[in-house]
Every structure is written in structure tokens, then in C-alpha cells.
Amino acid sequence: MPDKRANGGQVLVLNCGSSSLKFALIDPRNGNASLSGLGDSLGHSAPSVSWKIDGEKHSAALPEGAKHTEVIEFVVTNILSGGGILRADIAAIGHRVVHGGEKFSHSVLINEQVISAIQDCVALAPLHNPAHLQGIEAATKAFPGLPQVAVFDTAFHQTMPRQAYIYALPYELYEEHGIRRYGMHGTSHRFVSERAADLLGKAKADVNIISAHLGNGASIAAIQAGKSVDTSMGLTPLEGLVMGTRCGDVDPGLLLHLGVRLDYCMKEINDLLNKKSGLLGISQLSNDCRALEQAAAEGHQGAQLALEIFCYRLAKYIASYHGVLSHVDALVFTGGIGENSAYIRENVLNRLIGLGYRVDETRNLEMRFGAEGAIEPPSGTTSTPKVLVIPTNEEWVIARDAAQIIASGNSAASGQPAGGS
Ligand code: ADP
């Protein structure tokens, strides 16, 4: 077994959901994970934890009613010590936090002020932020004195100009209730746009990128000189692209229609838009892109229609971001679908031939399953925009930000934005 002590300065990255907790021990220098795992079904029946350490998979049942605290205790007592990892090997804990509202444009060291600011944003992310707070509390108990850093999904999009984030609603809704567009997946968009600049051999301040993060949740961002200037998700992760089970953009009059004419209650509307729509709703078959591609190839009309709408709507967003950015250096595909589906990428790019996009079929098939690189034709002219496939790595960003903040000896007590970019 490799000596973990040689890997001092690692960051324990925690991503606490309402009933799950993903954890990983990451080396911030290279993004390598010596340990990764998932606590699942927390607060429900048969909670469990599964993990991979040194390439070996393990799993265990947790006591009934176990929540985030029990998972973290299990990680400390059973996994870390069992794997020969000392607490001294861990330099910091990095937490993914979904919503930082307008309070955080960067990652920050967690202190009382930051905790209360995350609490203030609960109304904007009622499922996620309370879980993050539970995770922070549990980690504080398990690792007393260890610095903890919060990395916000919304932070990267705080550079959006007002024209991109204000809804055409009465302005007091923004002023009094913070109702505006925030955007999500910021950590991923930031990672892949920085990586795209590296691949283009340029500084991030010198490139404009359109970044399409396509997973079960999906969003797209227009990034100008390294800064997000627009993105498709809004106040909540429901706006924008067609997703696995979320509808994305719809006529807001639909909500009135459902409520007033069809007698839906709020819970039914919420379930309909968030859980029963998107690829699943259209296809009446599955939210899973892989399954839909297979079914579409076998002639399933619902699957064919779902994929067609998914690609059409994505292509429309990409085209509109050409209008947002003065020029586009590269379009990046990432997320489970963006990284793996040659079918979706080709279908989308074929709809954008008018903008100069071209796809090389062989390269497109090669860039899957963790591969990184360009998929436009090698002999493309200067009018052929670069199209890059870049596997995202949000855990690495979280680990890097945490390490950077610790190294800079940032004034934690102030709770001011620090680190990140
Ligand atoms: P999440 O948003 O839950 O993190 P992921 O980024 O893991 O989601 O993406 C999940 C999506 O990626 C699913 O729709 C899945 O079908 C799709 N996907 C994964 N591998 C492939 C593949 N080889 N071809 C097509 N789609 C794929």
C-alpha cells in the first residue's frame, strides 16, 4: 500500500446533498484522488457508504437514520485510519456549496460570518444549502481546528453584467428578495474554460469560450476574457437547456395555466417541472442520454424527439452566445453527455454550420470516456471555431482553491472573498 504520508497537504472535498454525501481526498497539485466515496440514502431507510481507495472498491451499511455526521465519522474512523491516512496528511476541507447568492464571488475560508451568509442563502437553495451547513457542522466536529473552505457553484457567474442577470420583473423583487439570475455549475465552467485557454496556449484573459456542461443537469455559459458574462441557469437550476428531468426554458404563463386552468397545486407543478420533464418527460422512457440514444437507434419515436429537442435548444443557446461574445475562440463540451456523447455533439454542431462549426467524425468518436481534445477538422480554416471536449473536475477546483486560500494565510476571520478567480 502506498505511503499516504508522502502525500501531505491533501484536501478532503465534501459535497453534501440532501440525502447524500460525496467525499474525495484530492491532491491539489494534480487533482489525483487517493480516496473517493459516497454516503447514500441518508435520513432514509438503509443508508450506506461506498468508497474506492487505492483502486479497490468497498461498501458498508450505516446505522438506520444515519446522516452526514455519521458518514463523516465513518470516513474518519474506518476509512482514513484503515487506509493509513493520518489527519496530519489533510491540510484542509473543501465544501461544495450550491448557492452563495450575491455574497460570494470567490471561494472563502469558512468562519461564523460565512456560515451565517450561507444560511441567508437557504431560501435560494432550500434543498442544498441546509445540507451543506450540516456537512460543515459535522466536519467541524470531526476535524476540530482544520481549515474549511467553501466553493460556491454561483460564484463564477457573479461577473455577469446586470443586463444578463436582471429579470424583466418589478425591480423591487430583485432589491427586496434577491430574485435575479445567478447561474450554477460555475465551478465546472471555470475549470473547463481555464483548461481550454491552456489547450489554446493562451492566457485565460485572452480567450472567449462558450462552455456547455451537459449532465443530468445542464447549463451553458458565455465566458469573455475568463469571466462569465451570461449563463443559462437562473434563479434556480430549472432555467435554460433541456435536462434529464428538468424542462429548462418554458413560457412562464404555463405555470398560471397549470395552476388556474388545470388545478395543479404548487407541489405538483414543482414535481412536473423538475422531476417529470426534460428528456424523461418528452421521451416517456428515460432521463438517461445513453439509453435514449440506444432507443432512438432502434426506432423509439419518443427518444428520437427528446434528443432532437435537446440538441435544437442547445444549438440555439450556442448561436445566441455568439451574439453575446465579440468573438468565440472555442466551444467546450463537458459533463457526462458533453464528454461522452459523440451523437449529441455531432447533432448540435451540424445545426451550427452557418456559424462555421464543423465536426471531424473520427476525432469526435475518439474524444470520449475521459479523453480531452479538439473535434473539429484538423485542416479547419480560421473560420472553423475550435470545438473542445474537456472532462470536468470540480473536485480538483475545490481542492486547489482550498489549498490556495490556506497557503495565502488568508484572513479567515473577515469572511471576505478570497482565493479562486
Ligand atoms: P450529473 O449531472 O448527475 O453529474 P453526469 O455529468 O454524470 O450527470 O451525466 C449523466 C448523463 O451523461 C446521463 O444522461 C448519461 O446517460 C450521460 N452519459 C454518460 N456516458 C454516456 C455515453 N457514453 N453516451 C451518451 N451519454 C452518456
Side-chain angles (χ1 to χ4, degrees):
M1 184 174 292
D3 181 4
K4 301 290 183 323
R5 288 167 222 211
N7 295 332
Q10 295 186 79
V11 176
L12 181 62
V13 174
L14 300 180
N15 179 354
C16 299
S18 50
S19 62
S20 69
L21 192 166
K22 284 190 198 153
F23 52 90
L25 194 61
I26 306 282
D27 185 332
R29 291 162 297 190
N30 52 26
N32 288 346
S34 45
L35 160 71
S36 62
L38 171 73
D40 212 1
S41 204
L42 307 180
H44 298 282
S45 66
S48 62
V49 57
S50 55
W51 68 101
K52 198 164 120 182
I53 189 162
D54 298 324
E56 271 180 46
K57 288 185 179 170
H58 307 264
S59 63
L62 291 169
E64 262 327 285
K67 292 210 76 182
H68 304 79
T69 309
E70 285 76 12
V71 178
I72 293 178
E73 276 168 8
F74 189 92
V75 169
V76 172
T77 316
N78 297 59
I79 306 181
L80 294 180
S81 41
I85 301 165
L86 300 177
R87 285 192 192 203
D89 294 325
I90 304 172
I93 297 175
H95 292 267
R96 175 205 180 203
V97 178
V98 161
H99 224 303
E102 289 186 326
K103 293 172 193 283
F104 299 103
S105 56
H106 295 79
S107 304
V108 286
L109 201 57
I110 295 174
N111 58 22
E112 285 306 318
Q113 234 179 313
V114 169
I115 289 173
S116 110
I118 295 172
Q119 180 75 48
D120 290 344
C121 296
V122 162
L124 296 169
L127 294 179
H128 291 96
N129 276 24
H132 303 324
L133 289 165
Q134 284 178 31
I136 291 168
E137 194 184 330
T140 308
K141 274 194 205 130
F143 297 92
L146 198 65
Q148 298 188 56
V149 166
V151 179
F152 300 89
D153 276 19
T154 47
F156 183 61
H157 300 301
Q158 278 296 299
T159 47
M160 284 196 290
R162 281 189 310 177
Q163 65 196 22
Y165 71 72
I166 296 288
Y167 285 116
L169 293 168
Y171 197 70
E172 68 262 21
L173 285 177
Y174 166 58
E175 290 183 307
E176 289 168 25
H177 302 287
I179 293 177
R180 51 158 281 183
R181 308 185 63 253
Y182 290 96
M184 278 88 199
H185 289 146
T187 311
S188 174
H189 290 301
R190 182 177 137 207
F191 177 83
V192 298
S193 59
E194 290 177 3
R195 185 75 196 122
D198 285 349
L199 294 175
L200 296 172
K202 294 188 176 172
K204 66 180 181 188
D206 293 332
V207 288
N208 290 353
I209 305 286
I210 297 175
S211 154
H213 177 112
L214 312 174
N216 278 316
S219 73
I220 179 163
I223 299 160
Q224 185 166 294
K227 296 193 163 119
S228 173
V229 291
D230 206 348
T231 191
S232 57
M233 284 180 170
L235 174 72
T236 74
L238 191 52
E239 191 178 338
L241 301 173
V242 174
M243 305 178 220
T245 60
R246 289 176 234 159
C247 59
D249 297 331
V250 289
D251 176 354
L254 166 70
L255 307 186
L256 304 174
H257 191 85
L258 290 173
V260 176
R261 300 243 171 256
L262 302 182
D263 249 355
Y264 278 63
C265 69
M266 277 302 165
K267 183 180 177 317
E268 287 168 327
I269 293 178
N270 183 39
D271 282 356
L272 181 96
L273 302 180
N274 276 297
K275 298 183 186 161
K276 297 181 178 168
S277 295
L279 294 175
L280 172 68
I282 303 167
S283 69
Q284 301 281 290
L285 180 70
S286 171
N287 63 313
D288 187 289
C289 184
R290 234 172 328 191
L292 292 178
E293 283 182 30
Q294 171 88 33
E298 290 162 3
H300 189 286
Q301 294 194 355
Q304 288 167 353
L305 180 62
L307 295 175
E308 195 180 327
I309 296 173
F310 182 92
C311 294
Y312 172 74
R313 294 259 297 265
L314 175 56
K316 254 195 346 179
Y317 259 101
I318 294 169
S320 76
Y321 284 178
H322 274 257
V324 169
L325 298 169
S326 48
H327 71 274
V328 176
D329 291 291
L331 165 66
V332 179
F333 285 102
T334 193
I337 298 172
E339 291 166 29
N340 297 301
S341 176
Y343 171 87
I344 295 284
R345 296 187 305 231
E346 182 171 350
N347 189 316
V348 169
L349 294 171
N350 283 341
R351 291 167 191 270
L352 295 167
I353 285 172
L355 287 169
Y357 284 102
R358 299 286 183 275
V359 59
D360 180 289
E361 280 179 32
T362 310
R363 283 172 172 241
N364 192 28
L365 283 171
E366 281 166 5
M367 291 305 144
R368 292 188 294 165
F369 317 129
E372 178 187 78
I375 58 169
E376 83 282 356
S379 57
T381 63
T382 47
S383 63
T384 305
K386 288 286 276 181
V387 186
L388 302 171
V389 176
I390 300 181
T392 196
N393 195 336
E394 287 150 297
E395 283 88 4
W396 189 10
V397 178
I398 295 172
R400 274 194 327 215
D401 275 10
Q404 190 187 329
I405 288 174
I406 305 311
S408 68
N410 200 274
S411 56
S414 74
Q416 292 303 308
S421 57

